[in-house]
């Protein structure tokens, strides 16, 4: 049996600095594992808690021996040494591009990159704080919610007026604004998409 401890909301913060201003250079990855005493304390406590659970009945009757870290590792120092040598990480990578309003926020509440037009981020990187559980389902929901926002924010199709003339005063049924739009369309200042683009309106 394998039981492991993972502090999901850790105090030690990792970072990914750029190595240079050259875009093709990979950034550095500084994981900073166990840098904060609070994380060390919590992890040692976690190992002790696992031992307590596995030595309680009925589960204890199925345990033959402890293989790692092994019964010889008892003090805080010994447990920390084991973690530093053998430990691995189960952290979920998220939040490099977080949503928010503070100076570290990259995207706003509608997932738009602040200061860059027409650029959105829809993945785990926008999480302001990593979820306590696994991240695949939350990432999927971010994608679903973000695609809804894109649809909501999309410019609605505007019907092209067909009862306008451009060679004089606008038809009385039409507004001056629509008439002006028609003139601009015919003079190619406003491109039209679809069938309407094919023919100029008299
Ligand atoms: C080993 C491992 C095990 C995991 N196990 C679980 C689990 O059991 N349960 C769970 O819920 N979560 C798990 N996760 C986490 C989960 O996989 C992620 O949270 C989730 O995939 C994040 O989705 P994402 O869209 O943000 O990023 P990703 O799924 O990483 O998608 C990013 C995509 O962008 C593409 N890409 C990158 N750069 C470029 C580029 N320049 N141009 C074009 N495309 C690019 C990549 O190829 C990739 O397809 C695990 C993660 C790992 C690494």
């Amino acid at each position: 049996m394998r039981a492991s401890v993972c502090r999901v909301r850790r105090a030690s913060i990792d970072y990914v600095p750029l190595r240079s201003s050259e875009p093709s250079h990979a950034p550095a990855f500084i994981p900073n594992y166990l840098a904060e005493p609070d994380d060390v304390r919590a992890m040692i406590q976690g190992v002790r808690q696992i031992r307590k659970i596995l030595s309680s009945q009925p589960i204890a009757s199925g345990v033959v021996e402890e293989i790692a870290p092994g019964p010889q590792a008892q003090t805080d120092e010994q447990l920390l040494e084991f973690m530093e040598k053998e430990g691995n990480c189960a952290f979920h990578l998220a939040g490099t591009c977080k949503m928010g309003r503070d100076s570290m926020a990259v995207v706003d509440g509608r997932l738009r990159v602040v200061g860059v037009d027409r650029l959105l981020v829809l993945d785990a990187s926008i999480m302001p704080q990593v979820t306590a559980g696994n991240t695949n389902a939350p990432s999927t929901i971010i994608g679903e919610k973000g695609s809804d926002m894109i649809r909501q924010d999309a410019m609605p199709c505007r019907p092209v007026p067909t009862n306008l003339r451009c060679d004089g005063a606008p038809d009385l049924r039409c507004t001056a604004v629509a008439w002006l739009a028609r003139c601009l369309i015919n003079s190619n200042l406003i491109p039209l998409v679809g069938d309407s683009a094919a023919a100029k309106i008299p």
Side-chain angles (χ1 to χ4, degrees):
M1 176 193 302
R2 177 176 168 162
S4 51
V5 185
C6 174
R7 190 174 207 207
V8 182
R9 299 251 163 89
R10 63 195 170 119
S12 312
I13 301 299
D14 53 316
Y15 56 103
V16 183
L18 297 177
R19 286 180 201 270
S20 76
S21 57
E22 173 56 50
S24 61
H25 288 174
F29 291 86
I30 314 291
N32 246 0
Y33 299 138
L34 299 172
E36 292 290 331
D38 199 35
D39 289 340
V40 175
R41 197 166 45 246
M43 291 296 290
I44 290 173
Q45 220 174 341
V47 174
R48 295 196 195 288
Q49 191 65 28
I50 286 182
R51 280 179 166 164
K52 195 172 163 191
I53 293 167
L54 295 182
S55 60
S56 310
Q57 292 300 355
I59 200 166
S61 58
V63 177
V64 179
E65 64 173 324
E66 178 184 316
I67 297 170
Q72 77 290 346
Q74 291 298 331
T75 66
D76 287 359
E77 292 71 27
Q78 288 166 332
L79 291 175
L80 177 58
E81 190 186 349
F82 168 76
M83 283 190 275
E84 286 174 339
K85 279 189 184 155
E86 307 291 336
N88 56 48
C89 117
F91 295 139
H92 285 116
L93 309 176
T96 50
C97 197
K98 78 166 186 171
M99 177 179 68
R101 293 187 182 147
D102 60 37
S103 61
M104 291 298 284
V106 174
V107 298
D108 66 12
R110 292 188 79 74
L111 308 182
R112 297 170 295 207
V113 175
V114 177
V116 183
D117 282 345
R118 300 160 69 88
L119 180 62
L120 287 86
V121 180
L122 277 71
D123 61 21
S125 60
I126 66 103
M127 293 181 190
Q129 190 177 38
V130 69
T131 49
N134 278 337
T135 44
N136 194 54
S139 304
T140 304
I141 297 302
I142 290 167
E144 287 285 336
K145 178 95 179 139
S147 56
D148 282 349
M149 288 175 178
I150 291 173
R151 272 200 296 269
Q152 287 160 8
D153 293 346
M155 190 85 90
C157 289
R158 290 168 298 168
V160 177
T162 55
N163 54 349
L164 297 173
R165 294 183 66 81
C166 194
D167 52 359
D171 188 300
L172 287 177
R173 291 167 296 174
C174 306
T175 66
V177 172
W179 172 75
L180 180 62
R182 176 60 42 178
C183 292
L184 290 171
I185 289 165
N186 281 349
S187 61
N188 289 330
L189 288 174
I190 296 180
L192 278 182
V193 177
D195 292 340
S196 317
K200 288 196 170 186
I201 288 88

